[in-house]
Amino acid sequence: MAWKTLDDMDLDGKRVLTRVDINVPVDSGVVTDATRIERVAPTVQDILSRGGIPVLLAHFGRPKGQVVPEMSLQMLVPALKAAFGTEVLFTTLDGAEAAIAACPAGAVVLLENTRFEPGEEKNDPDLAARFAALGDIYCNDAFSAAHRAHSSTEALARLLPACAGRLMQAELEALEAALGTPKRPVLAVVGGAKVSTKLDLLGNLVAKVDMLVIGGGMANTFLAAQGVAVGKSLCEHDLAETAREILVKAEAAGCEILLPVDVVVAREFREHAPSEVVPVAQCPEDAMILDAGPESVAAVKAALDRAQTLIWNGPLGAFEIAPFDAATNAAAAHAAKLTARGDLVSVAGGGDTVSALNKAGAAEDFTYISTAGGAFLEWMEGKALPGVAALG
Ligand code: 3PG
Ligand code: MG
């Protein structure tokens, strides 16, 4: 590993500035999904058990350097207490020095939203120095914010002895196992609405994986680029040339591409809209493709059977509305079964992906589910993440 972990640090009596990502969904001030908070608990507890004082730095939302009361981290204190099983003392940056000095043993200090500071998103070295003055050690446990070069994720790492937290470590190890030095063949599943948001991703993957399943709305763009009529389907016709280039690159790299061979079509985009299965070449002019059909699912399952490693980002159909979640559910269930049996290493990430896998009841059996959205994508694109690079 190119970075240090908590194991390499002496934490006793040390103030450990710990960057976490607790940018969780909240409804009227109440946390509706505490996953990200629960996933940093091992780091906080490890620091406490070794005599350190965890001082948490985190952002919430995009307040753009302004104090936005609805984005105050104070509202997360009850959820943090519950997840950590400790006292959590909330403080503004101005009050932080006094709060940390007064922190009783076993308690955690939480600083106000780092993005209330105008310098945070500018990676301002002066703000980083203000943070650094509050701690002895820097621990970054926010993999899901590591694609941002901000004061609390990047500049600060260069000012103190720095290490990765337990969650950051687990994320990096899982991703390394999936794309760095994977067991082959490697199968990637990339779905979601648009090709335009995942061009770099597809371009990088075809050079690294052995098989690539393209699903969701973006598959329509590839089908149309090959002359298939897609009716009223979501499709980026202007990206036809780009899609063909990706297919050529895949062929040159020996990456097998799996596109739908049959599709589920409907006339309306709504739950339980009347639908039918047609061969991919026979999408009616007035219909739209909302899911992959059973033959396509069988082909994905067969590819999963051949694969040793799976990396998954994006649903295969309009998974939010039944019955157009069928292909995603079936593929996810099959991957979960193979993983549980020890026949597959499966890694998934991205906001929609995790909700799709949770909905399919498959997430529990996956080898690793990343907490990251944008950072997972950038990592899959082969980009260096500033927050990780700064630890090295
Ligand atoms: C996320 O929720 O993906 C991370 O917390 C990063 O948030 P951002 O996209 O606002 O930088
Ligand atoms: Mg995001």
Side-chain angles (χ1 to χ4, degrees), residues 21 23 36 59 62 144 147-148 372-375:
D21 185 358
N23 193 23
R36 279 182 168 172
H59 75 278
R62 293 179 177 169
S144 48
H147 55 320
R148 310 294 182 207

Side-chain angles (χ1 to χ4, degrees), residues 57-388:
L57 294 171
H59 75 278
F60 186 90
R62 293 179 177 169
K64 300 200 182 317
Q66 311 279 328
V67 175
V68 179
E70 311 81 77
M71 294 185 191
S72 172
L73 289 185
Q74 185 148 31
M75 69 185 162
L76 299 184
V77 167
L80 294 175
K81 282 185 179 174
F84 304 160
T86 64
E87 203 49 51
V88 174
L89 310 175
F90 172 77
T91 173
T92 60
L93 180 55
D94 285 338
E97 199 183 334
I100 296 165
C103 179
V108 174
V109 177
L110 170 68
L111 261 70
E112 180 58 290
N113 194 338
T114 53
R115 290 188 185 171
F116 284 2
E117 298 296 325
E120 166 72 339
E121 294 187 58
K122 300 188 182 107
N123 203 15
D124 175 23
D126 295 336
L127 178 60
R130 278 189 78 190
F131 291 143
L134 299 169
D136 306 299
I137 289 172
Y138 175 69
C139 170
N140 190 345
D141 210 27
F143 174 78
S144 48
H147 55 320
R148 310 294 182 207
H150 294 173
S151 288
S152 66
T153 61
E154 209 278 345
L156 175 56
R158 303 180 184 284
L159 299 180
L160 290 175
C163 71
R166 297 299 179 204
L167 176 58
M168 171 73 90
Q169 191 184 342
E171 295 267 6
L172 292 173
E173 283 168 5
L175 298 185
E176 172 66 16
L179 263 197
T181 50
K183 280 203 254 172
R184 292 190 180 272
V186 181
L187 170 70
V189 172
V190 178
K194 289 188 172 174
V195 174
S196 50
T197 57
K198 294 191 182 172
L199 284 176
D200 291 347
L201 175 67
L202 294 167
N204 183 46
L205 284 181
V206 294
K208 293 211 170 126
V209 305
D210 306 293
M211 298 176 275
L212 172 62
V213 172
I214 301 176
M218 70 168 68
N220 304 336
T221 300
F222 280 87
L223 293 169
Q226 293 176 302
V228 175
V230 296
K232 291 219 159 82
S233 305
L234 181 67
C235 181
E236 293 168 285
H237 290 285
D238 54 322
L239 288 178
E241 189 52 42
T242 310
R244 284 191 290 269
E245 279 164 21
I246 290 171
L247 295 175
V248 168
K249 190 175 172 191
E251 171 132 45
C255 170
E256 181 191 342
I257 301 280
L258 286 93
L259 280 162
V261 292
D262 60 346
V263 289
V264 182
V265 299
R267 266 81 185 169
E268 300 162 77
F269 186 85
R270 67 166 168 85
E271 191 125 35
H272 303 302
S275 63
E276 60 192 300
V277 176
V278 295
V280 74
Q282 288 170 30
C283 175
E285 244 174 76
D286 63 343
M288 56 196 145
I289 300 171
L290 292 182
D291 200 11
E295 279 185 44
S296 309
V297 170
V300 173
K301 285 189 186 173
L304 284 165
D305 288 336
R306 294 199 300 277
Q308 299 273 344
T309 301
L310 165 69
I311 180 150
W312 186 326
N313 175 264
L316 297 179
F319 81 100
E320 320 86 323
I321 51 170
F324 309 108
D325 54 352
T328 303
N329 290 345
H334 195 66
K337 186 176 88 182
L338 294 172
T339 307
R341 222 198 253 167
D343 291 338
L344 186 69
V345 172
S346 52
V347 175
D352 267 6
T353 313
V354 177
S355 28
L357 296 179
N358 279 329
K359 215 169 152 249
E364 295 231 316
D365 281 327
F366 268 57
T367 311
Y368 196 77
I369 302 272
S370 176
T371 54
F376 186 82
L377 285 179
E378 289 199 22
W379 174 84
M380 273 179 97
E381 288 164 5
K383 293 185 182 151
L385 306 180
V388 176

